[in-house]
Amino acid sequence: MTAGTTQVGIVGAGPAGLTLARLLGARGIESVVLESRSRDHCEHRIRAGVLEQGAVDLLRAVGAGERLGREGIVHHGVSLQFAGGRHRIPLSELTGGAAITIYGQTEVVKDLIRLRVEAGDPLLFEAEDVALHDIEGDRPRITYRHDGRERELRCDIVAGCDGFHGVSRASIPAGVLRVSERDYPFGWLGILADVAPSSEELVYAHHERGFALLSLRSPTLSRLYVQVAHDEDIGEWPDERIWAELQTRLGLPGWTLAEGPILEKGVTGMRSFVAAPMQFGSLYLAGDAAHIVPPTGAKGLNLAIADVELLGEAVAAWYERGDRSGLDGYTEACLRRVWRAEHFSWWMTSMLHRLPGGDPFDVELQLAQLRYVVSSPAAATTLAENYVGIAGRRA
Ligand code: APR
Ligand code: PHB
């Protein structure tokens, strides 16, 4: 057994873990990041792509703003489509100038990994059998295997940034966590296509055959989704069927959806999930390890970054001034924003998807709500404030 020590042991090299590592490094706090997958795997997982201004600001502050500034695409509006019409929600006009930036989570992760590696700070890929020990006290340990060797890392604090299926949340003793969750009886089939996006801004479409979303990754790459069953077999979806369904759900007279080679496709289930408290002893959970939102509000990545902004500050206050208040109040501070995003994501999801087993009453309620959102400045502002993230920051 090879033993090592650090100040903060970070489990998981997703946006949460990598951003936290940068935040801590900027304050002179040492960390070791342990990631179970390979670097190649982490850098090629296709995930979300909408950043709130607060997330962009934080990534800039930790030095990860250079390519983001060059390649990120700033959007000032999104559209809702239903009943044969497309309606723009002018996000910036409604929020005193706030905007969103389109930049793939995959790119955020690549940038953060490169920074960490260039700085020569410890980031271990393919760390196997990561296990947490003694987290109830103030001398936690993390054991793992790397390069065929059993290792132990002693630290002051463990940051559980290992996503929904990680080991961190599962290390908290039974009975401590309260879980609130909702499963949705549908999923999204997503594609990345080598074709210029047919709309400059995102289009969220309500359609009798189910939800569809037009998004993008760059001026030459489209990202599109259609609502499918939660356990949909991707094998049932040859490319022609995907395009035909997208054409039907997103089509409008006088507008065509351009098609191109599909580079990647996959199905994701949808779920809302919150585990509280987000801390136990010297373990602090951040991002998907503690909470999941359905993707309809584009909040997952932003919540992960917002959590570690708080956690980084709390850890720094403790090391620099012995002030534990940020650490002690971490759960409460995070959960206010988390629940705002949980509500928003659930609301967008419920308003836009075809509900299996739903009846005409459900559909009329959705359409009434959609008409209200696009016709009332008050209702549109509610959507806009949540979408750009200022509602969450105020929560
Ligand atoms: N040991 C070490 N690392 C692990 C383990 C483990 N046992 N289990 C999982 N991991 C790693 C994963 O391989 C992944 O790289 O933890 C990382 C978690 O990263 P994410 O899942 O991206 O989670 P997070 O950083 O919280 O970011 C949330 O990701 O899923 C999206 O919609 C979500 O956009 C949101 C974002
Ligand atoms: C995406 O581009 O992947 C995306 C955009 C908006 C969402 C979800 C996903 O709400």
Side-chain angles (χ1 to χ4, degrees), residues 47-50 188 202 204 213 215-217 223 225 295-298 387:
R47 294 279 186 83
V50 176
W188 282 10
L202 273 63
Y204 288 83
L213 170 62
S215 180
L216 62 150
R217 283 293 176 276
R223 178 82 173 142
Y225 298 92
T296 326
Y387 201 83

Side-chain angles (χ1 to χ4, degrees), residues 10-23 33 35 42-43 45 47-49 51 55 58-59 62 64 103-113 160-163 286-289 299-309:
I10 300 177
V11 187
L18 293 165
T19 305
L20 178 64
R22 289 293 295 175
L23 281 166
V33 183
E35 164 61 49
C42 293
E43 293 188 337
R45 263 187 306 220
R47 294 279 186 83
L51 293 173
L58 190 75
L59 289 168
V62 301
Y103 190 70
Q105 177 172 325
T106 315
E107 307 311 313
V108 172
V109 165
K110 276 186 205 160
D111 294 344
L112 290 165
I113 290 177
C161 303
D162 47 355
D288 276 18
K299 290 289 153 228
L301 171 58
N302 294 294
L303 283 179
I305 291 178
D307 283 352
V308 295
E309 183 172 9

